[in-house]
Each structure stands twice: as structure tokens, then as C-alpha cells.
């Protein structure tokens, strides 16, 4: 049944435009992900809940009509209603979680669940009285998938609610993943491929395929149910048992597909992409079982499952969606045999290259490769996926041309056709070459991370032909062993295993390096022939100063080699030059041979900021009315100006140092998602919450995230900061912020400001903090809100007689503060959770006052004052050497 004026082709084009819109949104977020909070979660849900979910509703209805031989109740109109409801729910989920509105998230999730149940009910009603040919039983896959979507959406709503303990959260997460990915998406795709696979290959279906699919369904359903139930119950071994059932069912279903492929091998994009997708489904399902079974505790599962997001979302879901749409696009566009062939040619352009690029880049992405290699290959893989959108647009244009050509209008309009697309026999080779080029570009951009560009350590000693291999591991902030002996003239090979809790590397003075290693990763460092003692260290900023050094000690004298000449290996005197460049491309510090000039030499605190300067907004907004605060803090590394003309690399929460100021009341719940978008390990510690630090404050590797939930039970201004060692380095480099929990009965005032004092230890220009200066407590700057003297240039406003409250936090990492307003007197002082002066219940006009708010590192409080007359009132840390280092600003008071 068609809506009036809407034929089948037009209807398919319009409803599938929704799928394309979700795909475009996912691609846009993927391109700009570094600037989007929670980008990984957002990309995944735009693709799976938005694009894949919409496509499943559309095409499951289409195939149910075909398999059952009768139209669904309500026809196209009711299908459009269901599609609109699903998309409204999906938008609600995405918007709610992105903005922290729990009500919107809940409503969106429940709408998705309700739509799924209605969609399943429609198919169940459609099955009644149907002819039920041998393919009709396949519609059960769609019923099972609809039920899985409803259950998964409800689990997602429960998962989004704050306050659950770590074990409950992990159980909900594991069940949500199992039901949504293996159930909703997996069952729909597998049931559809039973019919679509031989059609893609343009051959007959194996007679046993429908029967095998029917048997497989029960195994697949049982696998999903056992895995989900095991996650909810905290029974880790039940999950791999469920996965085993699922994989058994997958094998039963896929066997007839393999038989068909042997007769008619896949050569076009659609079947190649679908085949690769099924392989990724099997691999990610198996990995899911292994990850859950080997996790030290159930609470560790959510973070570990993050490694499966890209393989499932891209490897399985995206590839099968693009493959199916590429095959079905000609059906949607229609126009007769000649037109369909023309559209097929467009959708099949560079098929082999696109499939090879997508899958090779995905394999490289999940491997422990240098960061820049992962960036170049992931961008290439994204381009291969996004090419579908370009080809779909080209297919639409080609359809118009083909219709005109068919109708004889082409000669009259004289439109250029261009040569038809020819299949490339070497398409896969071109794809592999493109991937290889991306790898080369990544290595060329950061050769040190790949162990290239090293100098000789032979020091004039002839090679013995022997190799000394040494096992070294990271323990905490130490190399074990930290002294390695090698006979002179031997080749040295160091096998380094990172068993620590952070990202580390090993750099030798010769320039040889392992590159950055994540937790649990292993690398081989080939130092070459060694003839003289060498120093080694971890080049991550601050780690060398924490004691992460290794000494290579040469034993014996060896045999002198011939003197080195131009073009030969470096002579002994060249080792120092290699040492000076050993940390090129890493976070160098003064102890790691700085790569550039000293930023401190450029300091001129009397200079005016450059064009475009804008001060950090010190105005404090009132606490939001919500009692649950959902916040995403993304760690990023950015280079910013910290004083006029002086730039420093800052490690930030939310892109600023200090990070965003959070505010609430006693009893409020803070649900914080920390996303590490940096290049080394980071963590977060909220002083505003009291809980065991083991899990929420743990260090997470680049690309990982964690959820940190706490309830604010006591008032005050509390510090939050990175607690990864060396903690002083991470705080000095900008990783701190404030949480304000209002005291009960806090009176309104005319203006509120927040000032966070911290120290700046300058290294090279544009580089991170100098770890040596941090250890010696020799700051170059002491600043309010991250920039020296910024409120001299953009004063804080106030009016005569207006009550002003100033919250002050001393973030350190080491020096205290003596906050003072020149010409002002404080009539209210609140520090560390108590009123020292004034406050609610204070009797009469205060006769006493205060001149300073004294704070040690990590302490905070607030002061209140009124200004008696118009003028300029400086505020400083009255440790005057710090005021002269930049802890200075002014209030501009007007009548």
C-alpha cells in the first residue's frame, strides 16, 4: 500500500535520506572529534542508533513484506510514523547525554524502546495468515531484533542514570552492549544476509540455507540472553559461554553462505564489504568474551570494552550498512535495466581498493602503533568509508543521465557522458599501496616513535658479531633493571615491557627509542653495536626527573674499528649531538635536552598582551538548579599564551587551564566522564567527593575514558586535578580546576568571581613545564586563572557599595597564597568549610575585619567586601614576590 502520490522508488529514496543524514553527521563528528566532548560515544550512537537503527527499521519492514508475501498493517504511512518516532527518540538520547539532561535521555530511550516493540508487533501481526513460504520463518530474526532493541534501550536508560556503583554500572554496560550489538544489530543483519547474500552474488541460494538459519536463530538468541544475563548477574564466566553459543549459531548460519561464495566468489563492493563485516562480527564477539573473562574485576569491563568500539561500529556495522545500501541503491533509484546498470557502476567504483583500505586501516588502528601512524591511517580509512556518500551523489546524477540516454534526450541536450567505470583488477593493490603510503607518512612525521633516525653507539669499537638481549620492564616509575651490562662491540637489543600504570618509553642517548608504549605493551629497541656507556630515560615529561633512567654499561675494551669518515657511522664525538636530539617530537623538559629556546628569556610582564587577547572569564554563575550534574571533561594538549609573548604547552581539562568551574549544593551528585584525548596517561581526583581512589582516580591511557561519580556531602571550594605521577608536573602543566559546593544559607551578592592561583614553570618555548624547576620550587610565574597579570589588562568590574564575593583556590602545586585586595577590607571570610569572619547568623555590624585570605596549596575559600568609593583596587597574593611574578589584577570600581 503506497501513500497517495508516493511511488515505491520515491518512498525508498526519501526514507533512506534519513540514514544518509545520520551517516553525514557521524562523519562530521569523526573529522572534528578532537574538539567534541565525548566524541567516541557520540560517533558510535550517531552511527549505530541513528544510521543503522533507522536502516534496520526501513529494510526489515521491506524484507518482511517480501518474505511474508503481504504488506504490513498500516503500510508506508505507519512505517513513516515508526521511523519518525525512532529518530525522535534517538535525537533525544544523543541530545540528553550530550547536554546532561537526564529527563531528555530517559524520554528518548523509552521512545526508542516503545517504537521497537510497536515495530515488532507490526511484523508479528503481519505473520498471521501469511503464506509462510520457506523464507517466511526468517522474519523471526526481525522479531528477535525488535525485542533486543527494546531491551537494550531500557538498559541504556538505566545505564545513563547516575548513582549506580561500579559493579552495577559494569553489569548494565555489558548487558547493553550484548543486547544492542549482538542482538539488535547482529540478528537483523544475519537474518537479512540469508536472502541478500546470494542475491548480491547473483546466484541461487543453497537449499539448506533457510533451515540452517532457523536452527541458528535459537543458538544466536540463547547466546545473547546468556551473555546479557551473565553481565547483569556479575557472572564473568557466563559471558564467554554465551558468546560461544552465539559463535556456534553464526557458524551454522554462515556455512551455506560460504558454499555459495565458492561457486560465485564476491567481486563487487557490496558482497566484499558484507563478507568483511561478518568476519569483524565474529572477531569482536570472540574478543568480547575474552575481555570479560580475563578482566580482573567486573568493574574493569566497561573501560576494556572500549577497544571493541571501532571494530564493531566500523568493521561490522558500518561496512554491512554501506555494503547493503550500495547494493540496494539501484533498487531505490530504479529506472529500468540500463539505468540500474549505470547506477551499479557508480556504486561499485574502486570496490577492491575501498574494502582493502577500510579493513587494513582498521587493523592498524587497533594495533599498538605510533600515534601519528594511527592518525594518518584512520583518516584514510574514514575517507574510504565517506566515499560512499560521494558515490551515492554521483549515482543520483548518473541515473538522470542514464534516463535521458534511455529516452533519447541525451542527443538533444548534448550532455557529456564520460567513459563508463571499468572494474580495476588491481584495485586491492592500489588500496594496499594507499595504506602503505599513509603508514610511511605517519612514520616520517614522527620517526623517533618508530625507532628511526638513531645515531651509532659503536664509539669506534669493532663489532664482535654477537648480540646481547636484555629484558627490561617498567615498574611504577622505574626501569627494572636500571643498569644493563653489554660487552664492548656486541649489538644490544632491549626488550621493554610496560607493566606500569601510564604511558612510557625508553630513549637512549644514541637516539634509539622504543616509541610510546601503553600499559601492557611490549617493544624491541635495537641499539646497534655498543662501544661506550650510554644513558637512557623515559622522555614523557617529568618521568626522567622521577627516576626513570637506565644506564647501559660497557664491559671490556673491545677492538678499535677503522676511523669513521663522511658517510660512515657516527664517531664518538657525535653521540652528544644525537643525545641533544633524542627527544625530538616528545614532551621535552630541561632535563631532557630542550628542543628550543628558554621561554623564561622572553618574559616581559610589563608588556601588553598581543592582538586578540581575551582574559579567562572570572565571573561565577549561580549553581544550576539540577541536583545531578553530568559533565564530560576531555583531556587535551594545547599551546597557549601564559604571559605576553610567551607560549607554553598546557595539558588541560576541557581545553582550559584552570579547567571548568563546577558548582552545586550539598547532596548533589556529580557524574563526571573523563576522556583522555592526550598522548600520555592522565587521571582525575576530585577533593569534593569522599570515596576509595583505586578505580575512579586511576590513570587511563590515551583514547580511553572513565566515569567518576561522587556525592557532595560538604561545602567549600574544592580542587580537582590530575593525580598521575609525577603529580607536580601534571598540575603545573595546567591540569586543575575548582568545584564549588555552596554552604547552606549562602546569601546572594551583587557579583561573584572565582580566582584559581597556580605556578608556571617555563621550559622551552611552546614546550611543557620544566620538571627541574618544579622539583626546585622555582616558578617563573605565579598567576590567577592561568595568565600573568591578565586582570590588569581586563579588570574585574564592581560598583560602589555593591557586595562582591571572591572565591579563591590555591592549586599550587607547591606555593601558598595570601589573597589581598589593596584598599579593601574583608568583612566575611570563609575558608576550608567554615566561616572565620561573618556569615549567616553573625550579629550586628562587624567591627572586626580581615586583610588577607591565607591559603596553602590545595586550600580554598571566599571573601566578601564592598568598595567605599570609585577607583582602581589591585588584588594580589601578598607574598609580594609572587605578585611581582604575575599574581596581580585589579577591580575597576565605578559609582
Amino acid at each position: 500500500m503506497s501513500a497517495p502520490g508516493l511511488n515505491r522508488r520515491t518512498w525508498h529514496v526519501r526514507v533512506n535520506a534519513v540514514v544518509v543524514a545520520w551517516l553525514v553527521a557521524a562523519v562530521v563528528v569523526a573529522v572534528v572529534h578532537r574538539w567534541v566532548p565525548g566524541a567516541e560515544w557520540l560517533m558510535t550512537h550517531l552511527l549505530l542508533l541513528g544510521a543503522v537503527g533507522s536502516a534496520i527499521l526501513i529494510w526489515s519492514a521491506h524484507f518482511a513484506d517480501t518474505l511474508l508475501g503481504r504488506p504490513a498493517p498500516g503500510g508506508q504511512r505507519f512505517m513513516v510514523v515508526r521511523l519518525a518516532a525512532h529518530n525522535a527518540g534517538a535525537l533525544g538520547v544523543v541530545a540528553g547525554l550530550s547536554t546532561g539532561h537526564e529527563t531528555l535521555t530517559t524520554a528518548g530511550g523509552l521512545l526508542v524502546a516503545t517504537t521497537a516493540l510497536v515495530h515488532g508487533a507490526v511484523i508479528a501481526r503481519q505473520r498471521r495468515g501469511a503464506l509462510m513460504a520457506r523464507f517466511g520463518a526468517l522474519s523471526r530474526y526481525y522479531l528477535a531484533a525488535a525485542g533486543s532493541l527494546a531491551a537494550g534501550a531500557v538498559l541504556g536508560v538505566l545505564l545513563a542514570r547516575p548513582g549506580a556503583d561500579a559493579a552495577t554500572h559494569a553489569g548494565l554496560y555489558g548487558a547493553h552492549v550484548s543486547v544492542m550489538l549482538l542482538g539488535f544489530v547482529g540478528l537483523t543483519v544475519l537474518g537479512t544476509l540469508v536472502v541478500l547474500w546470494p542475491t548480491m552474488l547473483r546466484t541461487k541460494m543453497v537449499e539448506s540455507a533457510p533451515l540452517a538459519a532457523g536452527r541458528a536463530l535459537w543458538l544466536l538468541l540463547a547466546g545473547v540472553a546468556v551473555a546479557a544475563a551473565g553481565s547483569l548477574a556479575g557472572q564473568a564466566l557466563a559471558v564467554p559461554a554465551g558468546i560461544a553459543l552465539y559463535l556456534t549459531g553464526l557458524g551454522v548460519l554462515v556455512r551455506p553462505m560460504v558454499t555459495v561464495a565458492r561457486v560465485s566468489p564476491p567481486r563487487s563492493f557490496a558482497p566484499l564489504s558484507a563478507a568483511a563485516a561478518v568476519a569483524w562480527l565474529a572477531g569482536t564477539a570472540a574478543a568480547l568474551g575474552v575481555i570479560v573473562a580475563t578482566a580482573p574485576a567486573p568493574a574493569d569491563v566497561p573501560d576494556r570494552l572500549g577497544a571493541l568500539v571501532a571494530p564493531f561500529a566500523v568493521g561490522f556495522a558500518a561496512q554491512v550498512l554501506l555494503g547493503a545500501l550500495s547494493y540496494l541503491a539501484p533498487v531505490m533509484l530504479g529506472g529500468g535495466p540500463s539505468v540500474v546498470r549505470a547506477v551499479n557502476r557508480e556504486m561499485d567504483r574502486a570496490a577492491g581498493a575501498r574494502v582493502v583500505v577500510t579493513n587494513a586501516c582498521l587493523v592498524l588502528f587497533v594495533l599498538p602503533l605510533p600515534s601519528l601512524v594511527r592518525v594518518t591511517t584512520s583518516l584514510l580509512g574514514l575517507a574510504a568509508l565517506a566515499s560512499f556518500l560521494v558515490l551515492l551523489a554521483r549515482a543520483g546524477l548518473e541515473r538522470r543521465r542514464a534516463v535521458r540516454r534511455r529516452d533519447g534526450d541525451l542527443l538533444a541536450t548534448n550532455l557529456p557522458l564520460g567513459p563508463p567505470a571499468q572494474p580495476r583488477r588491481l584495485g586491492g593493490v592500489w588500496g594496499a599501496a594507499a595504506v602503505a603510503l599513509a603508514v610511511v607518512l605517519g612514520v616520517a612525521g614522527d620517526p623517533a616513535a618508530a625507532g628511526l633516525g638513531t645515531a651509532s653507539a659503536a664509539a669506534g669499537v669493532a663489532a664482535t658479531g654477537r648480540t646481547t638481549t636484555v629484558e627490561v620492564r617498567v615498574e611504577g616509575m622505574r626501569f627494572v633493571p636500571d643498569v644493563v651490562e653489554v660487552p664492548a662491540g656486541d649489538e644490544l637489543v632491549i626488550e621493554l615491557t610496560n607493566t606500569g600504570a601510564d604511558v612510557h618509553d625508553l630513549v637512549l642517548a644514541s637516539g634509539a627509542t622504543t616509541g610510546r608504549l601503553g600499559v601492557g605493551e611490549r617493544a624491541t629497541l635495537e641499539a646497534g653495536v655498543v662501544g661506550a656507556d650510554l644513558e637512557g630515560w623515559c622522555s614523557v615529561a617529568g618521568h626522567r626527573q622521577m627516576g626513570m633512567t637506565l644506564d647501559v654499561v660497557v664491559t671490556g675494551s673491545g677492538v678499535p674499528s677503522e676511523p669513521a669518515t663522511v658517510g660512515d657511522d657516527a664517531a664518538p664525538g657525535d653521540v652528544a649531538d644525537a643525545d641533544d636530539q633524542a627527544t625530538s617530537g616528545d614532551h621535552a623538559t630541561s632535563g631532557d635536552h630542550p628542543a628550543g629556546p628558554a621561554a623564561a628569556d622572553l618574559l616581559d610582564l610589563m608588556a601588553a598582551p598581543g592582538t586578540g587577547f581575551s582574559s579567562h572569564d572570572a565571573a561565577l554563575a549561580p549553581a544550576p538548579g539540577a541536583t545531578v550534574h553530568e559533565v564530560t571533561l576531555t583531556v587535551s594538549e594545547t599551546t597557549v599564551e601564559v604571559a605576553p609573548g610567551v607560549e607554553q604547552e598546557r595539558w588541560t581539562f576541557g581545553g582550559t587551564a584552570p579547567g571548568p568551574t563546577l558548582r552545586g549544593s550539598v547532596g548533589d551528585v556529580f557524574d563526571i566522564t573523563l576522556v583522555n584525548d592526550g598522548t600520555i596517561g592522565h587521571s582525575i581526583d576530585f577533593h569534593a567527593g569522599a570515596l576509595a581512589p583505586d578505580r575512579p582516580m586511576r590513570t587511563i591511557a590515551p583514547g580511553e575514558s572513565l566515569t567518576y561519580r561522587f556525592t557532595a556531602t560538604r561545602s567549600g571550594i574544592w580542587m580537582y586535578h590530575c593525580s598521575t605521577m609525577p603529580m607536580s608536573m601534571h598540575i603545573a602543566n595546567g591540569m586543575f580546576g575548582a568545584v564549588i559546593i555552596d554552604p547552606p544559607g549562602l546569601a546572594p551578592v551583587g557579583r561573584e568571581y572565582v580566582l584559581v592561583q597556580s605556578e608556571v614553570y617555563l621550559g622551552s618555548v611552546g614546550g611543557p613545564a620544566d620538571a627541574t624547576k618544579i622539583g626546585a620550587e622555582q616558578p617563573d610565574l605565579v598567576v590567577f586563572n592561568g595568565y600573568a597579570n591578565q586582570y590588569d589588562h581586563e579588570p574585574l568590574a564592581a560598583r560602589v557599595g555593591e557586595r562582591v564575593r571572591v572565591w579563591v583556590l590555591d592549586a599550587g602545586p607547591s606555593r601558598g597564597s595570601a589573597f589581598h585586595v589593596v584598599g579593601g577590607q574583608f568583612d566575611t571570610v570563609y575558608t576550608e568549610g567554615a566561616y572565620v569572619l561573618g556569615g549567616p547568623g553573625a550579629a550586628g555590624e562587624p567591627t572586626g575585619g580581615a586583610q588577607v585570605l591565607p591559603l596553602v596549596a590545595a586550600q580554598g575559600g571566599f571573601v566578601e567586601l564592598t568598595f567605599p568609593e570609585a577607583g582602581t583596587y589591585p588584588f594580589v597574593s601578598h607574598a609580594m614576590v609572587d605578585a611581582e611574578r604575575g599574581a596581580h589584577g585589579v577591580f575597576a570600581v565605578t559609582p
Side-chain angles (χ1 to χ4, degrees), residues 426-808:
L426 298 179
V429 175
W430 285 107
V435 175
L437 178 60
V439 172
V440 169
L441 290 175
V443 171
D446 189 5
L452 303 178
T454 60
S456 171
V461 174
T464 62
R466 298 188 300 268
T467 299
T468 297
T469 302
V470 181
E471 292 281 345
V472 178
R473 66 185 184 278
V474 173
E475 290 187 2
M477 283 286 175
R478 293 289 185 273
F479 292 114
V480 179
D482 59 2
V483 177
V484 171
E485 292 188 348
V486 54
D490 277 16
E491 289 190 18
L492 174 63
V493 175
I494 298 176
E495 299 286 352
L496 178 66
T497 303
N498 183 4
T499 57
D502 195 359
V503 173
H504 296 289
D505 64 8
L506 173 61
V507 175
L508 296 182
S510 63
T513 176
T514 59
R516 295 286 171 86
L517 300 180
V519 176
E521 293 181 350
R522 180 182 176 90
T524 300
L525 185 153
E526 296 180 354
V529 175
V530 179
D533 294 351
L534 287 173
E535 183 182 12
W537 60 87
C538 177
S539 71
V540 176
H543 289 196
R544 186 178 187 180
Q545 284 72 18
M546 288 288 293
M548 289 201 72
T549 60
L550 179 143
D551 292 318
V552 176
V553 177
V554 173
T555 59
S557 58
V559 179
S561 65
E562 295 294 325
T565 60
V566 176
D568 292 335
D569 289 339
D574 295 330
V575 173
D577 294 332
D579 187 15
D580 290 338
Q581 300 183 25
T583 56
S584 175
D586 289 328
H587 295 298
T589 68
S590 62
D592 294 338
H593 311 284
D601 295 340
L602 305 178
L603 273 181
D604 181 3
L605 293 181
M606 301 304 292
T611 304
F613 166 78
S614 179
S615 65
H616 183 101
D617 188 3
L620 180 63
T627 58
V628 177
H629 307 268
E630 295 181 343
V631 180
T632 296
L633 292 177
T634 301
V635 174
S636 60
E637 297 163 5
T638 182
T639 301
V640 299
E641 195 173 67
V642 294
V646 179
E647 290 189 335
Q648 185 183 45
E649 180 186 280
R650 304 290 270 171
W651 306 342
T652 67
F653 293 115
T656 61
T661 298
L662 311 181
R663 192 173 192 181
S665 303
V666 173
D668 285 4
V669 174
F670 288 79
D671 194 342
I672 311 296
T673 299
L674 177 68
V675 179
N676 186 355
D677 206 11
T679 60
I680 61 174
H682 293 290
S683 58
I684 196 164
D685 172 6
F686 283 95
H687 293 188
L691 70 172
D694 306 64
R695 284 193 48 75
M697 301 181 197
R698 70 188 185 278
T699 296
I700 59 174
E704 293 184 352
S705 62
L706 62 78
T707 300
Y708 190 131
R709 296 179 180 86
F710 67 89
T711 300
T713 57
R714 300 180 187 277
S715 58
I717 177 169
W718 304 87
M719 182 177 176
Y720 68 85
H721 61 91
C722 181
S723 57
T724 297
M725 296 299 289
M727 201 179 304
S728 59
M729 181 72 188
H730 286 249
I731 295 174
N733 229 53
M735 303 194 74
F736 55 82
V739 179
I740 295 176
I741 307 300
D742 290 341
L746 185 66
V749 293
R751 298 178 195 264
E752 278 190 283
Y753 294 106
V754 59
L755 300 172
V756 181
Q757 179 179 310
S758 63
E759 302 128 43
V760 177
Y761 301 82
L762 297 173
S764 59
V765 174
D770 187 317
T772 302
K773 291 180 181 178
I774 295 172
E777 296 185 36
Q778 296 175 341
D780 296 287
L781 301 168
V782 179
V783 300
F784 291 124
N785 291 346
Y787 191 101
N789 295 341
Q790 62 179 312
Y791 302 115
D792 288 351
H793 307 289
E794 292 189 6
L796 303 182
R799 299 179 69 87
V800 172
E802 180 181 48
R803 177 163 288 275
V804 177
R805 178 181 296 133
V806 185
W807 294 84
V808 184

